[in-house]
Amino acid sequence: MQIRRSAERGQADHGWLRSFHSFSFAGYHDPRHMGFSVLRVINEDRIAPGTGFGTHGHRDMEIISYVLEGELEHRDSLGNGSVIRPGDVQRMSAGSGVRHSEFNHAQSSTHFLQIWIEPNVTGIAPSYEERHFPAAAKRGRLCLIAAPDGRDGAVTIHQDARLYAGLFDGAESARHEVAPGRKTYLHVVRGRIEVDGERLLAGDAAMTAVAGVQLARGEAAEVLLFDLP
C-alpha cells in the first residue's frame, strides 16, 4: 500500500478559492502524480461567499462534485440549474462538450471535492445527474454513490469504476474486496481512520492493488473509496 499525506498535495490560494490538488492540475504539476488508473482529479476546494467559477467548458470527462459544507449553485448549457448541499452527489458527463458555472451564493464558504474520471467512451452527448445520500446510508459502511450501471441509486458514470462513501466512528468498520486486476484509491475526506492498520488523517490517501481493504478505528471519519480498472 502506498500512502500519500495531505501536506504532499499541490496547493493554490487565489483569495476567493483555496485548493488542494491530489494530482497535477492547473499551475501544479508533478510527473509522479498525474492520476491513478482512470482517476484524474481530486481537488479539495473552498470557495468564499459570493464567488465562484464563471462559465467555462469541458469535454470528454466524468465530473463528480461532492459537497462537504455550504452550498454550490450549478448552471450549465444543457439547461440544468440546481443548488447542491452536503449529502448531494452531482455527476456531469462532459462528452462532446458542455459549459457550466459553479457559484457560492451563501454567506459562508463552500467546501467540496471536485473529482474527474476519464470516460471509456468519447464524443457522447453530454448529460447531468444528481442524487442525495443521507448520512444514515453511509454510517458504518461503504455506500455506492457512482457506478457504470447506476445500481443501488448511484449516479451513472461512463467508466468501469465505482465510487463509495462511508462514515466511521469508534467500533464501526468495513472491508472492501478488490477483484483481481483492479486497484483501490482511498481518500480521507475528514477525521481520521485506520486503513489496513495504517493511520490516515484528513487529506491523506492510500493506493493499493491488494485483494481487500480494511477500514477501522474511525474518529469522525468520512472517506471516499474508488474501485478502479
Side-chain angles (χ1 to χ4, degrees):
M1 184 169 64
Q2 179 185 353
I3 304 297
R4 190 173 188 221
R5 299 296 178 183
S6 175
E8 299 172 26
R9 296 179 294 172
Q11 299 183 38
D13 190 342
H14 303 286
W16 66 274
L17 170 69
R18 292 189 298 119
S19 295
F20 287 92
H21 305 309
S22 294
F23 305 108
S24 294
F25 187 88
Y28 166 63
H29 180 79
D30 185 338
R32 299 169 300 170
H33 299 287
M34 299 300 296
F36 184 79
S37 179
V38 295
L39 178 58
R40 179 62 188 83
V41 167
I42 302 179
N43 288 346
E44 180 183 355
D45 292 341
R46 286 177 171 84
I47 304 176
T51 67
F53 301 94
T55 303
H56 59 284
H58 295 283
R59 293 178 62 91
D60 292 326
M61 194 66 70
E62 301 294 296
I63 301 171
I64 297 170
S65 295
Y66 188 89
V67 178
L68 301 171
E69 297 172 351
E71 58 186 44
L72 194 65
E73 182 189 56
H74 168 93
R75 294 189 180 278
D76 64 41
S77 55
L78 303 176
N80 298 300
S82 66
V83 177
I84 57 173
R85 298 178 174 88
D88 293 341
V89 175
Q90 177 197 85
R91 183 271 301 167
M92 186 173 67
S93 297
S96 58
V98 65
R99 294 180 62 78
H100 77 129
S101 63
E102 297 162 302
F103 210 82
N104 175 19
H105 290 292
Q107 309 224 339
S108 59
S109 65
T110 294
H111 182 194
F112 79 111
L113 298 179
Q114 184 176 136
I115 298 158
W116 292 7
I117 295 175
E118 297 174 359
N120 56 11
V121 60
T122 59
I124 61 173
S127 60
Y128 176 89
E129 188 179 9
E130 188 180 312
R131 293 281 187 275
H132 180 76
F133 297 88
K138 298 176 278 190
R139 171 55 57 196
R141 62 185 292 265
L142 291 169
C143 172
L144 185 67
I145 63 173
D149 54 6
R151 62 183 171 88
D152 298 331
V155 298
T156 302
I157 56 174
H158 298 87
Q159 180 53 266
D160 182 20
R162 290 156 188 83
L163 172 57
Y164 300 82
L167 302 170
F168 298 92
D169 256 311
E172 295 171 340
S173 65
R175 180 175 175 83
H176 180 73
E177 300 297 336
V178 184
R182 296 186 67 81
K183 298 180 177 182
T184 299
Y185 187 98
L186 184 134
H187 179 84
V188 181
V189 176
R190 49 188 161 195
R192 57 185 68 195
I193 195 167
E194 285 187 7
V195 180
D196 288 348
E198 183 78 32
R199 197 65 164 165
L200 300 184
L201 308 179
D204 291 349
M207 293 153 273
T208 181
V210 299
V213 177
Q214 182 71 36
L215 308 177
R217 299 179 183 274
E219 296 178 32
E222 183 166 5
V223 302
L224 292 180
L225 185 145
F226 299 81
D227 187 317
L228 303 163

